[in-house]
Amino acid sequence: MNHELILTETRGRVGLITLNRPKALNALNDQVMDEISAALDAFEADEGIGAIVITGSDRAFAAGADIGAMADYSYMDAYKGDYITRNWERVKTCRKPIIAAVAGFALGGGCELAMTCDIIIAADSARFGQPEVKLGTLPGAGGTQRLPRAVGKAKAMDLCLTARFMDAAEAEKAGLVSRVVPADKLLEEALTAAETIASFSLPVVMMIKESVNRAFESSLGEGLLFERRVFHSSFALNDQKEGMAAFVEKRKPSFRHD
Ligand code: HXC
């Protein structure tokens, strides 16, 4: 696949997307998001891929939407073209798990991109923030919605209204990130986690992702009902038969992803 602003590669059953606009601290313009979207389409269609990692550079995961690109947009430009935000749903609708491996700045749209992924693994250098208020605007791709769900109202209001950054330790304590690792181990750690996920039954992994996400879209009763239905449906899978037989027979399961 030919991309200009991202790099893609396959590592075993893991698809890796690396944002590659170092001079602009990986600022996210529509081209970057188009390319991420196309990469996700390809990884999603590839039976050999079981999980995806999105990462940036040591200095920045992404310092936000591209301020220069959007500075002169009119309301009509932005609304009609769905500029800046048009491809973000693609990250959300990806059915395979996505890990954001975050080092350095994850600000504005960068923080929002990380939060749209399923797991955030942070380097100890990571800094998260929603500083749009300083630019005379507000988060536009989930900052006011996903952040409070992840860290609660108090911290979300604090970050969105004061524009202060949160370091990796605070982000882990607040529940935004699942683990903090030394910066030089970030990619290795994220790839290992992704390889672990990808070694499991792909349809089961997809069912788990769908079910956990359901928790954010429904009442507890509806969510539990959804989970129970999906749980029961897992008994239609060969991989469920294999996984449980392997346990009983005290051997490693060999999943066929069906
Ligand atoms: C375009 C950006 C950028 C951005 C940094 N750069 N962030 N370009 N859009 N969001 C560019 C700078 O212009 C500069 O280019 C180069 O990257 C290095 O940045 P510096 O500022 O020189 O580095 P430093 O002093 O280390 O400061 C780093 C920083 C700062 C704290 C991350 O760059 C910063 O505050 N950036 C903006 C963060 C932000 O406000 N993000 C939210 C954007 S709005 P040159 O050419 O001068 O070297 C948003 C809305 C989302 O995200 C809406 C939905 C998607």
Side-chain angles (χ1 to χ4, degrees), residues 2-121:
N2 282 331
H3 299 293
E4 270 179 52
L5 302 180
I6 65 168
L7 305 169
T8 60
E9 59 186 290
T10 297
R11 304 264 188 111
R13 286 184 50 78
V14 178
L16 174 63
I17 299 174
T18 307
L19 306 182
N20 190 29
R21 282 189 86 192
K23 286 193 187 131
L25 300 186
N26 291 329
L28 304 165
N29 60 18
D30 283 324
Q31 185 183 342
V32 176
M33 293 311 297
D34 286 345
E35 291 184 11
I36 291 175
S37 197
L40 291 177
D41 286 347
F43 287 144
E44 189 108 272
D46 185 342
E47 282 274 324
I49 297 291
I52 295 157
V53 173
I54 301 182
T55 195
S57 67
D58 289 347
R59 202 170 158 214
F61 177 72
D66 189 323
I67 300 167
M70 65 183 162
D72 292 327
Y73 284 160
S74 69
Y75 167 70
M76 252 318 121
D77 292 333
Y79 181 75
K80 278 209 270 188
D82 200 7
Y83 289 155
I84 300 293
T85 53
R86 69 166 174 246
N87 269 324
W88 290 71
E89 284 296 304
R90 181 65 192 92
V91 183
K92 184 187 160 198
T93 59
C94 183
R95 298 174 74 204
K96 295 179 180 175
I98 309 179
I99 297 177
V102 175
F105 298 111
L107 304 177
C111 185
E112 291 170 311
L113 176 61
M115 289 192 291
T116 310
C117 298
D118 302 302
I119 297 174
I120 303 177
I121 298 182

